[in-house]
Amino acid sequence: MPEYREFRCCMCPNINRPQKTQCPTGPMKSEVTPCRFIKIYMDQRGWLYRVMRGFGENNYKARYQKPGKSGWKCITKLEWRKSFDDAQSDLNTMAKKKGWEEYNNGKIKNYTSVG
């Protein structure tokens, strides 16, 4: 069963930093691990979904890309958000409802649900 985090981990130092896809070490964690909040998804048709910046500052929205195409189009059902994390939360929620799988470097990645 895939894991869908609606928010970053508690006290994450990478808040609103989309380029930070690694979860750092800390008092309760001895090794760096991939972030379980920032994700790219693929649906059953092979369409990819990810959050991207829009024009201007503080404009983020989830977008999709069809197979064989190079451009990304906005998901019209989702709103523009002022923070990357809010837009990623929207995408993660949609992915959970639609049953999308995580896409990681050309591979579908399955997770087990975390408490």
Side-chain angles (χ1 to χ4, degrees):
M1 177 144 189
E3 175 187 7
Y4 301 91
R5 286 194 167 266
E6 291 184 31
F7 302 99
R8 284 191 190 261
C9 298
C10 181
M11 297 175 55
C12 178
N14 295 331
I15 291 175
N16 287 318
R17 293 182 178 164
Q19 71 280 11
K20 299 284 187 175
T21 59
Q22 297 295 308
C23 186
T25 60
M28 306 291 276
K29 191 168 161 279
S30 61
E31 62 184 38
V32 174
T33 58
C35 178
R36 295 183 301 176
F37 174 68
I38 299 176
K39 294 185 179 189
I40 298 173
Y41 294 98
M42 179 185 276
D43 70 10
Q44 296 78 3
R45 301 170 293 185
W47 294 22
L48 297 178
Y49 300 85
R50 65 178 284 200
V51 171
M52 299 173 79
R53 174 175 265 164
F55 291 113
E57 288 188 41
N58 301 323
N59 288 310
Y60 297 91
K61 191 170 188 174
R63 299 175 187 235
Y64 67 90
Q65 181 184 54
K66 293 181 180 180
K69 303 288 183 178
S70 60
W72 292 83
K73 304 212 182 249
C74 292
I75 299 174
T76 56
K77 291 182 180 182
L78 298 178
E79 297 178 32
W80 284 98
R81 297 298 194 160
K82 292 186 180 202
S83 75
F84 173 86
D85 285 6
D86 288 343
Q88 185 69 53
S89 180
D90 290 345
L91 179 60
N92 291 357
T93 300
M94 180 177 262
K96 180 178 182 178
K97 287 179 185 174
K98 303 272 189 179
W100 297 341
E101 297 289 329
E102 183 181 355
Y103 181 82
N104 189 8
N105 294 326
K107 298 178 184 175
I108 297 293
K109 188 172 185 179
N110 290 312
Y111 280 95
T112 55
S113 186
V114 174

